[in-house]
Amino acid sequence: PEELVSPKQGGHTDPGTQMKTWSVNGNVQKGPFTQGTTITIQLLDDALSPIGKTYSTKTSDDAGSFSIDSKIGNRFVEIMAVGYYFNEIEGKVSSSTLTLRSLSDLEEEGKTNVNLLTTLEIDRVRALVKGGKTVAEARKQAEQEIFAVFNIPNTVGKTGFDKMDITKGTDADAILLAISASLQAGQTVGELSELISKIAGELASSGKVENDIIRARILEGCRKVDAELVRNNLVRRYTSLGLSDFVIPPFEDYLDVNGNGVIDKKDSWIILGQNDFVVSDQGGTFNLTLQHNVDYEVSVEGGNWLSWQTVETKAY
């Protein structure tokens, strides 16, 4: 299996009090959340229970950036983001707000990002810590369980989902975008919020999603993702924001378009939109819709009365 690795980080020591404090900076992403998204940072103890102290800020741009300088006095925090976001499926800003959360260890280096995967894992991590695991053990187990739900064969790395970024080029970043896009496809913002909550609830109790209806919604979303359109929408969005140092990762590798439980990176498939066609004795035409992630050849049998023409092909 492939291992996903991110760097590590530390905090600051106030020379007046000798108390260690941390800065927080990162991005909120579905697609990117818009400027003015409300960010609430809740301080947690080592058992991940709130200690009753919070900080508030807002995103400073339409790329979802936020930061707080060297004020956080606890290593573990829960970050909640509420705002509008760029819908990568529809190619426009969402019609209503979405809430995403992240449980982060500020001892780790790198940005502290908030995304769909960090939202899915929180309740499961807390349940595992309550059951006696360390935070690091709980997070690693929860993240591996989430990978299994989405048929991701990779092994999680040493740092968490909050280091993933849809504008970077690693396998981890591709996985985040693939799952984000597949859960969004075919869903309104309200339906997406409901689906996230249901998946997180199933995971919290068992580390699995066993509800057949929820599993079917996950698979259906994967089939509906137009990877080329998603890529073009995100490139257009980030370019319009004046950004150039971004990479949209090869997330199509981590979709399961044919729904057989194997990600496309490990699978080969051709899907015909229709198998049977009827043409009258007066002749006629029909269109054959074909999706594929492998090269293919076409042969036509039936004599001179039958001909074919490729109008468009689309490889995933």
Side-chain angles (χ1 to χ4, degrees):
E2 301 159 75
E3 188 176 39
L4 310 181
V5 180
S6 298
K8 289 197 164 185
Q9 123 178 349
H12 310 273
T13 300
D14 185 333
T17 65
Q18 295 301 308
M19 184 180 74
K20 195 171 187 180
T21 61
W22 289 267
S23 300
V24 178
N25 70 93
N27 298 97
V28 189
Q29 297 175 333
K30 173 54 192 68
F33 271 56
T34 59
Q35 185 170 354
T37 292
T38 299
I39 306 293
T40 302
I41 301 172
Q42 180 171 239
L43 278 59
L44 309 175
D45 62 21
D46 290 349
L48 303 184
S49 297
I51 67 168
K53 189 170 185 178
T54 62
Y55 293 91
S56 296
T57 186
K58 293 182 181 295
T59 52
S60 58
D61 56 33
D62 287 329
S65 306
F66 69 93
S67 65
I68 290 181
D69 293 332
S70 302
K71 293 180 180 180
I72 309 300
N74 285 58
R75 170 181 176 179
F76 298 111
V77 296
E78 180 176 347
I79 305 172
M80 182 172 67
V82 182
Y84 295 90
Y85 65 96
F86 181 76
N87 184 323
E88 71 276 19
I89 298 293
E90 296 181 351
K92 60 184 181 182
V93 173
S94 62
S95 57
S96 56
T97 62
L98 179 69
T99 299
L100 295 182
R101 299 186 295 156
S102 174
L103 194 157
S104 297
D105 180 355
L106 301 184
E107 282 282 2
E108 295 178 345
E109 281 187 7
K111 289 186 175 181
T112 303
N113 297 325
V114 184
N115 55 57
L116 191 145
L117 289 181
T118 61
T119 306
L120 291 180
E121 75 171 336
I122 285 183
D123 294 339
R124 179 58 173 166
V125 172
R126 277 204 166 100
L128 291 170
V129 169
K130 187 176 181 180
K133 291 187 178 293
T134 66
V135 174
E137 291 169 342
R139 186 178 63 187
K140 187 170 185 178
Q141 179 177 329
E143 294 181 354
Q144 200 66 64
E145 290 168 343
I146 290 171
F147 275 11
V149 168
F150 294 94
N151 301 315
I152 306 298
N154 300 51
T155 299
V156 298
K158 296 179 180 179
T159 55
F161 285 164
D162 64 344
K163 305 308 175 194
M164 294 180 174
D165 187 330
I166 65 171
T167 66
K168 306 300 180 184
T170 71
D171 285 345
D173 306 320
I175 289 168
L176 170 61
L177 182 51
I179 294 175
S180 291
S182 62
L183 291 187
Q184 178 73 77
Q187 310 286 342
T188 65
V189 179
E191 290 167 341
L192 172 62
S193 181
E194 176 193 48
L195 181 58
I196 292 170
S197 295
K198 288 183 180 299
I199 294 172
E202 291 262 313
L203 286 166
S205 59
S206 66
K208 299 178 181 178
V209 175
E210 298 178 308
N211 184 294
D212 290 340
I213 295 175
I214 298 175
R215 292 185 63 81
R217 288 178 69 181
I218 292 172
L219 288 174
E220 183 62 23
C222 236
R223 296 189 189 101
K224 289 182 177 180
V225 175
D226 183 333
E228 183 179 0
L229 180 61
V230 168
R231 182 178 300 279
N232 290 341
N233 285 341
L234 288 171
V235 168
R236 176 172 54 82
R237 177 64 172 180
Y238 282 111
T239 301
S240 73
L241 298 178
L243 302 177
S244 58
D245 59 341
F246 67 89
V247 176
I248 305 304
F251 69 97
E252 53 269 46
D253 287 347
Y254 292 94
L255 297 173
D256 178 16
V257 172
N258 65 355
N260 69 344
V262 180
I263 59 169
D264 292 352
K265 184 178 182 179
K266 305 290 186 180
D267 201 8
S268 299
W269 49 265
I270 295 176
I271 302 174
L272 297 179
Q274 186 175 344
N275 295 324
D276 299 318
F277 301 89
V278 177
V279 180
S280 74
D281 57 6
Q282 301 300 311
T285 62
F286 59 81
N287 295 320
L288 173 66
T289 300
L290 181 148
Q291 294 175 291
H292 63 98
N293 74 343
V294 292
D295 294 333
Y296 64 93
E297 294 182 356
V298 175
S299 63
V300 179
E301 298 179 1
N304 296 332
W305 63 275
L306 184 61
S307 63
W308 68 279
Q309 179 182 8
T310 299
V311 177
E312 179 182 359
T313 61
K314 183 174 184 178
Y316 287 82

